[in-house]
């Protein structure tokens, strides 16, 4: 392989790596936004609280 061909291969490899990193970065950002939305949704959900919930334990032998 001559120098020009090796240079082209290295350049293509570097470009492919950079594209992969950018795609992972975009995916990470999107997941962060989605998790933030899910967290807000969970915090806004109203869970009815029963006053006696968790006060008794039924055990059968």
């Amino acid at each position: 392989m001559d120098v020009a061909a090796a240079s082209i291969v290295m350049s293509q490899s570097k470009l492919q790596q950079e594209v992969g990193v950018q795609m992972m970065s975009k995916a990470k950002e999107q997941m962060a936004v989605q998790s933030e939305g899910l967290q807000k949704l969970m915090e806004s959900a109203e869970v009815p609280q029963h006053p006696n919930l968790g006060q008794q334990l039924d055990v059968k032998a």
Side-chain angles (χ1 to χ4, degrees), residues 38-59:
L38 179 61
Q39 185 176 10
K40 286 180 182 178
L41 179 65
M42 289 174 63
E43 288 172 355
S44 70
E46 293 183 22
V47 179
Q49 296 294 325
H50 192 276
N52 295 327
L53 187 63
Q55 299 296 321
Q56 298 177 352
L57 178 64
D58 294 333
V59 180

Side-chain angles (χ1 to χ4, degrees), residues 6-7 16:
S7 175
Q16 186 177 13

Side-chain angles (χ1 to χ4, degrees), residues 1-49:
M1 183 181 296
D2 61 350
V3 175
S7 175
I8 291 172
V9 169
M10 287 175 46
S11 176
Q12 289 174 344
S13 176
K14 182 179 177 185
L15 176 63
Q16 186 177 13
Q17 184 179 12
E18 289 175 359
V19 168
V21 169
Q22 288 295 325
M23 288 181 64
M24 292 299 287
S25 176
K26 293 289 184 183
K28 181 181 171 186
E29 289 174 13
Q30 185 177 6
M31 288 179 68
V33 169
Q34 288 177 347
S35 66
E36 194 174 294
L38 179 61
Q39 185 176 10
K40 286 180 182 178
L41 179 65
M42 289 174 63
E43 288 172 355
S44 70
E46 293 183 22
V47 179
Q49 296 294 325

